[in-house]
Amino acid sequence: MDFKSSDTIPGPRTEDQLPHTAQAAVKIVIVGGFGVGKTTMVGSVSEIKPLTTEETMTQAGIGIDDDYGSESKTATTVAMDFGRISITDKLVLYLFGTPGQERFWFLWNGLFEGALGAVVLVDTRRLEVSFDVMGRLEERGVPFVVAVNSFPDAPRYPVEELRAALDLTPEIPIIECDVRRRASSKDVLLTLMRFLHSLALSGALT
Amino acid sequence: MTPPRRQRRGPTPPTPPPSPPELRPFPHADAADGRSSRGAPDGPQAHGTPDGQPPPRNPERLYAVTGTADGGRAELDLVTLIVACRTPPPGASPEHTAVLGLCTAPLSLAELSAYLTLPFSAMTVLITEMITAELVQARAPVTRRTAPDRSLLEAVMHGLQKL
Ligand SMILES: Nc1nc2c(ncn2[C@@H]2O[C@H](COP(=O)(O)OP(=O)(O)O)[C@@H](O)[C@H]2O)c(=O)[nH]1
Ligand SMILES: [Mg+2]
Protein backbone atom coordinates (compact mmCIF):
# COMPACT_ATOMS: atom_id res chain seq x y z
CA MET A 1 0.00 0.00 0.00
CA ASP A 2 1.39 3.30 -1.00
CA PHE A 3 0.90 5.27 2.09
CA LYS A 4 1.78 8.84 2.88
CA SER A 5 2.84 9.86 6.33
CA SER A 6 -0.08 10.99 8.42
CA ASP A 7 1.09 14.60 8.57
CA THR A 8 0.57 15.04 4.89
CA ILE A 9 -2.85 13.44 4.65
CA PRO A 10 -5.52 16.01 4.02
CA GLY A 11 -8.64 15.61 6.06
CA PRO A 12 -11.83 17.57 6.38
CA ARG A 13 -11.44 21.21 7.28
CA THR A 14 -12.43 21.84 10.88
CA GLU A 15 -15.68 23.44 9.77
CA ASP A 16 -16.44 20.35 7.67
CA GLN A 17 -16.21 17.92 10.55
CA LEU A 18 -19.37 16.17 11.57
CA PRO A 19 -20.52 16.71 15.15
CA HIS A 20 -19.83 13.87 17.58
CA THR A 21 -23.56 13.42 17.88
CA ALA A 22 -23.76 12.15 14.27
CA GLN A 23 -25.32 8.71 14.78
CA ALA A 24 -26.20 7.46 11.35
CA ALA A 25 -26.06 8.26 7.69
CA VAL A 26 -28.39 7.62 4.78
CA LYS A 27 -27.57 7.71 1.11
CA ILE A 28 -29.16 8.57 -2.19
CA VAL A 29 -27.64 7.51 -5.49
CA ILE A 30 -27.66 9.71 -8.56
CA VAL A 31 -27.18 7.54 -11.58
CA GLY A 32 -26.88 8.36 -15.25
CA GLY A 33 -24.67 8.31 -18.29
CA PHE A 34 -21.40 10.12 -18.73
CA GLY A 35 -21.75 13.89 -18.86
CA VAL A 36 -25.39 13.98 -17.79
CA GLY A 37 -24.65 16.21 -14.78
CA LYS A 38 -24.16 13.85 -11.82
CA THR A 39 -21.07 15.56 -10.47
CA THR A 40 -22.63 18.96 -11.06
CA MET A 41 -25.70 17.95 -9.07
CA VAL A 42 -23.67 16.56 -6.18
CA GLY A 43 -21.59 19.75 -6.10
CA SER A 44 -24.56 22.08 -6.21
CA VAL A 45 -26.12 20.77 -2.99
CA SER A 46 -23.20 19.38 -1.03
CA GLU A 47 -21.97 21.16 2.11
CA ILE A 48 -18.45 19.86 1.48
CA LYS A 49 -16.40 20.09 -1.67
CA PRO A 50 -17.32 16.90 -3.54
CA LEU A 51 -14.94 14.04 -2.91
CA THR A 52 -14.14 10.98 -4.96
CA THR A 53 -14.01 7.38 -3.88
CA GLU A 54 -12.44 4.96 -6.25
CA GLU A 55 -12.37 1.30 -6.74
CA THR A 56 -9.60 -0.40 -8.57
CA MET A 57 -10.31 -3.62 -10.24
CA THR A 58 -8.33 -6.02 -12.23
CA GLN A 59 -10.12 -5.91 -15.46
CA ALA A 60 -10.72 -9.06 -17.29
CA GLY A 61 -13.82 -7.84 -19.00
CA ILE A 62 -13.52 -4.43 -20.56
CA GLY A 63 -11.37 -5.33 -23.51
CA ILE A 64 -13.22 -6.17 -26.65
CA ASP A 65 -10.89 -8.89 -27.77
CA ASP A 66 -10.55 -10.57 -24.48
CA ASP A 67 -8.26 -13.53 -24.59
CA TYR A 68 -9.48 -16.07 -22.09
CA GLY A 69 -6.30 -18.07 -22.32
CA SER A 70 -3.95 -15.34 -21.28
CA GLU A 71 -4.04 -14.00 -17.78
CA SER A 72 -3.05 -10.52 -18.80
CA LYS A 73 -5.23 -8.27 -16.74
CA THR A 74 -5.25 -4.53 -16.65
CA ALA A 75 -6.12 -2.45 -13.66
CA THR A 76 -9.08 -0.16 -14.18
CA THR A 77 -10.26 2.51 -11.83
CA VAL A 78 -13.91 3.38 -11.48
CA ALA A 79 -14.69 6.54 -9.56
CA MET A 80 -17.72 7.96 -7.85
CA ASP A 81 -18.10 11.54 -6.77
CA PHE A 82 -20.02 12.19 -3.62
CA GLY A 83 -21.16 14.97 -1.37
CA ARG A 84 -22.76 15.39 2.00
CA ILE A 85 -25.68 17.24 3.56
CA SER A 86 -26.11 17.37 7.33
CA ILE A 87 -29.75 16.82 8.11
CA THR A 88 -29.70 17.12 11.90
CA ASP A 89 -27.00 16.76 14.57
CA LYS A 90 -27.69 13.07 14.44
CA LEU A 91 -28.36 12.33 10.80
CA VAL A 92 -26.27 12.86 7.67
CA LEU A 93 -27.24 12.40 4.03
CA TYR A 94 -24.69 11.39 1.42
CA LEU A 95 -25.20 11.69 -2.33
CA PHE A 96 -23.30 9.47 -4.71
CA GLY A 97 -22.97 10.12 -8.42
CA THR A 98 -22.62 6.71 -9.98
CA PRO A 99 -21.79 5.63 -13.50
CA GLY A 100 -24.69 4.08 -15.34
CA GLN A 101 -23.05 0.77 -16.15
CA GLU A 102 -24.44 -1.79 -13.80
CA ARG A 103 -21.43 -4.02 -14.00
CA PHE A 104 -19.50 -1.55 -11.88
CA TRP A 105 -22.12 -1.24 -9.15
CA PHE A 106 -20.99 -4.35 -7.31
CA LEU A 107 -17.68 -2.66 -6.58
CA TRP A 108 -19.22 -0.72 -3.74
CA ASN A 109 -21.05 -3.00 -1.33
CA GLY A 110 -24.73 -2.30 -1.09
CA LEU A 111 -24.52 0.83 -3.19
CA PHE A 112 -28.15 0.56 -4.26
CA GLU A 113 -29.42 -1.97 -1.75
CA GLY A 114 -28.48 0.35 1.07
CA ALA A 115 -29.71 3.54 -0.57
CA LEU A 116 -33.01 5.16 0.35
CA GLY A 117 -33.64 5.57 -3.35
CA ALA A 118 -32.16 6.80 -6.59
CA VAL A 119 -32.36 9.71 -8.99
CA VAL A 120 -32.00 8.67 -12.63
CA LEU A 121 -30.59 11.72 -14.35
CA VAL A 122 -31.34 11.78 -18.06
CA ASP A 123 -30.38 13.90 -21.02
CA THR A 124 -33.06 13.91 -23.71
CA ARG A 125 -30.37 13.92 -26.40
CA ARG A 126 -29.39 10.44 -25.23
CA LEU A 127 -32.42 9.03 -23.49
CA GLU A 128 -31.58 5.45 -24.40
CA VAL A 129 -28.39 5.43 -22.33
CA SER A 130 -30.57 5.37 -19.22
CA PHE A 131 -32.92 2.59 -20.33
CA ASP A 132 -30.78 -0.16 -18.92
CA VAL A 133 -30.26 1.67 -15.63
CA MET A 134 -34.00 2.04 -15.10
CA GLY A 135 -34.54 -1.62 -15.89
CA ARG A 136 -31.90 -2.65 -13.40
CA LEU A 137 -33.39 -0.50 -10.67
CA GLU A 138 -36.82 -1.97 -11.37
CA GLU A 139 -35.41 -5.49 -11.17
CA ARG A 140 -33.75 -4.71 -7.87
CA GLY A 141 -36.79 -2.96 -6.47
CA VAL A 142 -34.92 0.31 -5.91
CA PRO A 143 -37.39 3.23 -5.91
CA PHE A 144 -36.34 6.03 -8.23
CA VAL A 145 -37.46 9.30 -9.77
CA VAL A 146 -36.43 10.53 -13.20
CA ALA A 147 -34.81 13.96 -13.44
CA VAL A 148 -34.48 15.45 -16.90
CA ASN A 149 -31.47 17.71 -16.97
CA SER A 150 -32.26 20.48 -19.41
CA PHE A 151 -29.41 21.11 -21.78
CA PRO A 152 -30.10 24.03 -24.12
CA ASP A 153 -29.89 22.08 -27.36
CA ALA A 154 -31.73 19.02 -26.09
CA PRO A 155 -35.15 18.07 -27.46
CA ARG A 156 -37.98 18.84 -25.06
CA TYR A 157 -40.84 16.46 -24.64
CA PRO A 158 -44.01 16.86 -22.65
CA VAL A 159 -43.76 14.88 -19.41
CA GLU A 160 -46.53 12.49 -20.39
CA GLU A 161 -44.83 11.72 -23.67
CA LEU A 162 -41.63 10.96 -21.75
CA ARG A 163 -43.55 8.79 -19.32
CA ALA A 164 -44.99 6.79 -22.18
CA ALA A 165 -41.63 6.50 -23.92
CA LEU A 166 -39.85 5.47 -20.74
CA ASP A 167 -42.74 3.16 -19.83
CA LEU A 168 -42.86 4.53 -16.29
CA THR A 169 -45.84 3.85 -14.06
CA PRO A 170 -47.95 6.92 -13.30
CA GLU A 171 -46.70 7.29 -9.72
CA ILE A 172 -43.01 7.60 -10.63
CA PRO A 173 -42.20 11.31 -10.58
CA ILE A 174 -40.55 12.87 -13.63
CA ILE A 175 -39.08 16.30 -13.03
CA GLU A 176 -37.21 18.77 -15.18
CA CYS A 177 -34.15 20.34 -13.65
CA ASP A 178 -31.03 22.38 -14.17
CA VAL A 179 -28.67 20.76 -11.73
CA ARG A 180 -26.23 23.65 -11.90
CA ARG A 181 -28.70 25.44 -9.67
CA ARG A 182 -28.84 24.40 -6.05
CA ALA A 183 -32.57 25.13 -5.81
CA SER A 184 -33.25 22.85 -8.74
CA SER A 185 -31.13 19.98 -7.39
CA LYS A 186 -32.79 20.40 -4.03
CA ASP A 187 -36.17 20.12 -5.75
CA VAL A 188 -35.14 16.86 -7.36
CA LEU A 189 -34.06 15.43 -4.02
CA LEU A 190 -37.26 16.58 -2.35
CA THR A 191 -39.26 14.98 -5.14
CA LEU A 192 -37.50 11.69 -4.44
CA MET A 193 -38.07 12.02 -0.69
CA ARG A 194 -41.78 12.77 -1.14
CA PHE A 195 -42.06 9.76 -3.41
CA LEU A 196 -40.33 7.54 -0.83
CA HIS A 197 -42.61 8.96 1.83
CA SER A 198 -45.69 8.11 -0.22
CA LEU A 199 -44.36 4.59 -0.71
CA ALA A 200 -43.80 4.28 3.03
CA LEU A 201 -47.36 5.46 3.69
CA SER A 202 -48.77 2.91 1.29
CA GLY A 203 -46.63 0.23 2.87
CA ALA A 204 -44.75 -0.44 -0.34
CA LEU A 205 -41.38 0.34 1.07
CA THR A 206 -40.62 -2.68 3.16
CA MET B 1 -39.66 14.27 -32.91
CA THR B 2 -40.57 11.32 -30.77
CA PRO B 3 -38.40 9.96 -28.02
CA PRO B 4 -36.97 6.43 -28.22
CA ARG B 5 -39.00 3.89 -26.29
CA ARG B 6 -38.16 1.50 -23.56
CA GLN B 7 -40.01 -1.33 -21.84
CA ARG B 8 -40.47 -1.47 -18.11
CA ARG B 9 -39.11 -4.45 -16.17
CA GLY B 10 -40.47 -6.11 -13.10
CA PRO B 11 -38.68 -6.98 -9.92
CA THR B 12 -36.71 -10.18 -10.16
CA PRO B 13 -36.95 -12.46 -7.15
CA PRO B 14 -34.04 -11.73 -4.89
CA THR B 15 -31.20 -14.13 -5.43
CA PRO B 16 -29.59 -15.33 -2.22
CA PRO B 17 -26.77 -13.06 -1.17
CA PRO B 18 -23.44 -14.10 -2.67
CA SER B 19 -21.62 -15.64 0.11
CA PRO B 20 -21.30 -14.02 3.32
CA PRO B 21 -18.58 -11.59 3.81
CA GLU B 22 -15.24 -11.45 5.31
CA LEU B 23 -12.77 -8.94 4.19
CA ARG B 24 -9.30 -9.84 3.39
CA PRO B 25 -6.74 -8.42 1.07
CA PHE B 26 -5.56 -10.81 -1.50
CA PRO B 27 -3.07 -10.69 -4.25
CA HIS B 28 -5.13 -10.84 -7.37
CA ALA B 29 -3.13 -13.66 -8.77
CA ASP B 30 -5.21 -16.05 -6.70
CA ALA B 31 -8.54 -14.46 -7.28
CA ALA B 32 -10.37 -17.67 -7.97
CA ASP B 33 -12.37 -17.97 -4.77
CA GLY B 34 -13.02 -14.26 -4.73
CA ARG B 35 -14.78 -14.69 -8.00
CA SER B 36 -16.94 -17.58 -6.93
CA SER B 37 -18.01 -15.83 -3.77
CA ARG B 38 -19.50 -12.94 -5.54
CA GLY B 39 -22.22 -14.47 -7.44
CA ALA B 40 -25.48 -13.30 -8.34
CA PRO B 41 -27.06 -10.14 -7.11
CA ASP B 42 -24.34 -7.60 -7.30
CA GLY B 43 -21.89 -9.27 -9.54
CA PRO B 44 -21.95 -7.92 -13.01
CA GLN B 45 -23.92 -10.55 -14.75
CA ALA B 46 -22.68 -11.87 -17.95
CA HIS B 47 -25.09 -10.68 -20.57
CA GLY B 48 -24.34 -11.57 -24.13
CA THR B 49 -24.56 -8.64 -26.46
CA PRO B 50 -27.31 -8.65 -29.05
CA ASP B 51 -24.84 -9.07 -31.84
CA GLY B 52 -23.66 -12.35 -30.41
CA GLN B 53 -20.46 -11.17 -28.81
CA PRO B 54 -19.45 -13.28 -25.86
CA PRO B 55 -20.41 -11.68 -22.57
CA PRO B 56 -17.69 -9.65 -20.92
CA ARG B 57 -15.94 -11.33 -18.05
CA ASN B 58 -16.53 -10.00 -14.62
CA PRO B 59 -14.30 -7.28 -13.34
CA GLU B 60 -12.65 -8.16 -10.09
CA ARG B 61 -11.93 -5.96 -7.14
CA LEU B 62 -8.33 -5.45 -6.26
CA TYR B 63 -9.18 -6.53 -2.73
CA ALA B 64 -11.53 -9.39 -2.17
CA VAL B 65 -14.64 -8.97 -0.13
CA THR B 66 -15.35 -12.61 0.43
CA GLY B 67 -17.42 -14.81 2.65
CA THR B 68 -17.33 -15.84 6.27
CA ALA B 69 -18.64 -19.02 7.77
CA ASP B 70 -21.50 -17.48 9.70
CA GLY B 71 -23.39 -16.03 6.81
CA GLY B 72 -23.92 -12.33 7.59
CA ARG B 73 -23.90 -9.71 4.90
CA ALA B 74 -21.06 -7.23 4.54
CA GLU B 75 -21.42 -4.87 7.43
CA LEU B 76 -19.47 -1.93 6.17
CA ASP B 77 -21.24 0.45 3.85
CA LEU B 78 -19.96 3.50 2.01
CA VAL B 79 -21.72 5.62 4.60
CA THR B 80 -20.93 3.68 7.75
CA LEU B 81 -19.59 6.35 10.12
CA ILE B 82 -16.25 5.58 11.70
CA VAL B 83 -15.13 7.14 14.97
CA ALA B 84 -11.77 6.73 16.70
CA CYS B 85 -11.91 5.07 20.12
CA ARG B 86 -8.46 6.21 21.18
CA THR B 87 -5.28 7.91 20.13
CA PRO B 88 -2.85 5.79 18.13
CA PRO B 89 -1.21 3.15 20.32
CA PRO B 90 2.56 3.07 20.37
CA GLY B 91 3.85 1.33 17.30
CA ALA B 92 0.61 1.79 15.32
CA SER B 93 1.05 1.44 11.58
CA PRO B 94 0.99 4.59 9.44
CA GLU B 95 -2.39 3.51 8.05
CA HIS B 96 -3.92 3.10 11.50
CA THR B 97 -2.39 6.36 12.67
CA ALA B 98 -3.80 8.18 9.67
CA VAL B 99 -7.29 6.77 10.17
CA LEU B 100 -7.26 7.58 13.88
CA GLY B 101 -6.19 11.12 13.04
CA LEU B 102 -9.05 11.55 10.58
CA CYS B 103 -11.71 9.95 12.76
CA THR B 104 -11.49 12.12 15.85
CA ALA B 105 -14.91 13.24 14.59
CA PRO B 106 -17.23 10.76 12.82
CA LEU B 107 -16.33 10.26 9.16
CA SER B 108 -17.88 7.97 6.56
CA LEU B 109 -15.95 5.16 5.01
CA ALA B 110 -16.36 6.89 1.64
CA GLU B 111 -14.74 10.06 2.99
CA LEU B 112 -11.89 8.05 4.50
CA SER B 113 -11.34 6.35 1.16
CA ALA B 114 -11.30 9.75 -0.56
CA TYR B 115 -8.94 11.46 1.88
CA LEU B 116 -6.57 8.52 2.06
CA THR B 117 -6.87 7.84 -1.69
CA LEU B 118 -7.41 4.17 -1.03
CA PRO B 119 -9.81 2.06 -3.06
CA PHE B 120 -13.04 1.57 -1.16
CA SER B 121 -12.49 -2.16 -0.76
CA ALA B 122 -9.00 -1.61 0.64
CA MET B 123 -10.46 0.92 3.04
CA THR B 124 -13.03 -1.66 4.12
CA VAL B 125 -10.32 -4.21 4.81
CA LEU B 126 -8.34 -1.70 6.85
CA ILE B 127 -11.34 -0.58 8.89
CA THR B 128 -12.46 -4.14 9.56
CA GLU B 129 -9.03 -4.77 10.99
CA MET B 130 -9.27 -1.64 13.14
CA ILE B 131 -12.73 -2.51 14.45
CA THR B 132 -11.42 -5.92 15.47
CA ALA B 133 -8.50 -4.26 17.25
CA GLU B 134 -10.99 -1.92 18.99
CA LEU B 135 -9.25 1.14 17.61
CA VAL B 136 -12.39 2.49 15.96
CA GLN B 137 -16.14 2.10 16.21
CA ALA B 138 -18.60 1.89 13.37
CA ARG B 139 -22.04 3.54 13.32
CA ALA B 140 -24.26 1.68 10.88
CA PRO B 141 -26.26 3.56 8.25
CA VAL B 142 -30.03 3.52 7.91
CA THR B 143 -30.81 1.66 4.72
CA ARG B 144 -33.91 0.93 2.73
CA ARG B 145 -33.57 -2.66 3.85
CA THR B 146 -33.61 -1.71 7.49
CA ALA B 147 -36.98 -0.11 6.72
CA PRO B 148 -36.57 3.60 7.18
CA ASP B 149 -39.54 4.84 9.11
CA ARG B 150 -41.65 7.78 8.08
CA SER B 151 -40.17 10.04 10.69
CA LEU B 152 -36.70 9.47 9.25
CA LEU B 153 -37.91 10.29 5.74
CA GLU B 154 -39.63 13.38 7.12
CA ALA B 155 -36.44 14.44 8.89
CA VAL B 156 -34.53 14.17 5.61
CA MET B 157 -37.21 16.24 3.85
CA HIS B 158 -37.05 18.94 6.50
CA GLY B 159 -33.28 18.97 6.31
CA LEU B 160 -33.38 19.39 2.54
CA GLN B 161 -35.96 22.13 2.75
CA LYS B 162 -33.54 24.16 4.85
CA LEU B 163 -30.87 24.03 2.15
N1 LIG C 1 -26.74 23.46 -19.76
C1 LIG C 1 -26.53 22.65 -18.75
N2 LIG C 1 -25.31 22.11 -18.59
C2 LIG C 1 -25.10 21.26 -17.56
C3 LIG C 1 -26.15 20.93 -16.66
N3 LIG C 1 -25.67 20.06 -15.77
C4 LIG C 1 -24.39 19.83 -16.09
N4 LIG C 1 -24.03 20.57 -17.16
C5 LIG C 1 -22.72 20.57 -17.78
O1 LIG C 1 -22.49 19.29 -18.36
C6 LIG C 1 -21.14 18.89 -18.19
C7 LIG C 1 -21.04 17.50 -17.59
O2 LIG C 1 -21.53 17.51 -16.27
P1 LIG C 1 -20.97 16.52 -15.13
O3 LIG C 1 -21.65 16.92 -13.87
O4 LIG C 1 -19.51 16.49 -15.12
O5 LIG C 1 -21.52 15.12 -15.65
P2 LIG C 1 -21.29 13.65 -15.04
O6 LIG C 1 -20.39 12.95 -15.99
O7 LIG C 1 -22.66 13.04 -15.05
O8 LIG C 1 -20.72 13.78 -13.67
C8 LIG C 1 -20.47 19.96 -17.34
O9 LIG C 1 -19.73 20.78 -18.19
C9 LIG C 1 -21.62 20.71 -16.73
O10 LIG C 1 -21.30 22.07 -16.52
C10 LIG C 1 -27.44 21.54 -16.86
O11 LIG C 1 -28.39 21.33 -16.13
N5 LIG C 1 -27.56 22.38 -17.92
MG1 LIG D 1 -18.88 12.99 -13.00
Side-chain angles (χ1 to χ4, degrees):
Chain A
M1 223 174 280
D2 173 22
F3 225 83
K4 303 170 206 137
S5 107
S6 61
D7 317 328
T8 63
I9 291 170
R13 300 175 306 170
T14 318
E15 61 269 36
D16 286 347
Q17 284 184 350
L18 290 173
H20 281 272
T21 48
Q23 275 310 321
V26 290
K27 66 179 186 282
I28 288 175
V29 179
I30 300 162
V31 60
F34 179 76
V36 75
K38 302 180 295 293
T39 303
T40 308
M41 179 167 175
V42 168
S44 76
V45 284
S46 177
E47 68 195 15
I48 56 167
K49 190 170 159 288
L51 295 167
T52 305
T53 175
E54 295 186 339
E55 194 51 86
T56 307
M57 52 190 195
T58 56
Q59 183 46 287
I62 283 182
I64 296 179
D65 44 18
D66 192 22
D67 181 357
Y68 272 62
S70 83
E71 273 307 303
S72 61
K73 293 177 176 177
T74 46
T76 306
T77 299
V78 183
M80 269 196 312
D81 293 329
F82 66 97
R84 193 181 82 193
I85 300 170
S86 293
I87 298 295
T88 64
D89 312 352
K90 296 198 181 119
L91 185 66
V92 198
L93 167 66
Y94 286 89
L95 301 173
F96 288 87
T98 304
Q101 303 99 308
E102 192 214 25
R103 61 206 206 86
F104 296 143
W105 297 351
F106 87 99
L107 288 168
W108 291 278
N109 282 337
L111 176 60
F112 284 93
E113 290 72 13
L116 294 180
V119 172
V120 178
L121 201 53
V122 304
D123 174 348
T124 52
R125 294 169 300 184
R126 300 172 291 138
L127 265 187
E128 55 301 331
V129 303
S130 50
F131 286 4
D132 197 48
V133 169
M134 291 179 210
R136 301 295 177 174
L137 296 178
E138 285 162 346
E139 286 171 359
R140 289 162 181 247
V142 181
F144 63 92
V145 300
V146 173
V148 183
N149 204 6
S150 344
F151 289 89
D153 51 336
R156 303 186 79 112
Y157 303 111
V159 164
E160 287 320 309
E161 191 174 339
L162 271 179
R163 182 180 303 285
L166 297 175
D167 197 18
L168 298 174
T169 53
E171 67 278 6
I172 296 183
I174 301 177
I175 178 177
E176 276 196 48
C177 58
D178 177 340
V179 295
R180 293 168 302 179
R181 293 173 38 234
R182 169 179 275 216
S184 182
S185 297
K186 169 180 153 180
D187 242 24
V188 171
L189 295 174
L190 277 168
T191 302
L192 174 66
M193 292 312 303
R194 283 190 212 105
F195 178 52
L196 297 176
H197 193 257
S198 71
L199 293 178
L201 285 178
S202 67
L205 205 72
T206 42
Chain B
M1 201 166 133
T2 53
R5 306 190 76 85
R6 135 188 132 98
Q7 198 163 34
R8 173 189 322 163
R9 298 186 206 164
T12 51
T15 0
S19 38
E22 164 198 340
L23 307 165
R24 66 183 173 87
F26 76 111
H28 46 69
D30 66 35
D33 66 324
R35 180 180 312 167
S36 62
S37 73
R38 161 176 3 109
D42 292 9
Q45 302 286 326
H47 293 287
T49 52
D51 53 348
Q53 292 286 321
R57 285 170 70 191
N58 290 353
E60 289 171 0
R61 284 194 193 89
L62 192 57
Y63 291 83
V65 180
T66 60
T68 52
D70 67 335
R73 192 152 157 51
E75 295 306 330
L76 293 175
D77 187 278
L78 280 161
V79 302
T80 301
L81 297 177
I82 307 298
V83 200
C85 303
R86 51 164 302 166
T87 52
S93 70
E95 291 91 335
H96 288 186
T97 307
V99 170
L100 292 173
L102 285 171
C103 293
T104 50
L107 204 58
S108 67
L109 213 60
E111 283 164 295
L112 282 169
S113 146
Y115 287 125
L116 298 175
T117 57
L118 278 179
F120 175 68
S121 55
M123 200 64 238
T124 306
V125 170
L126 181 59
I127 293 298
T128 303
E129 205 175 280
M130 294 182 73
I131 293 170
T132 310
E134 298 182 344
L135 294 171
V136 296
Q137 272 184 345
R139 299 180 181 170
V142 182
T143 67
R144 197 172 72 255
R145 291 282 161 86
T146 54
D149 56 6
R150 267 153 47 194
S151 60
L152 177 121
L153 298 173
E154 284 158 12
V156 174
M157 282 193 267
H158 292 144
L160 286 170
Q161 260 143 7
K162 285 186 297 184
L163 264 184

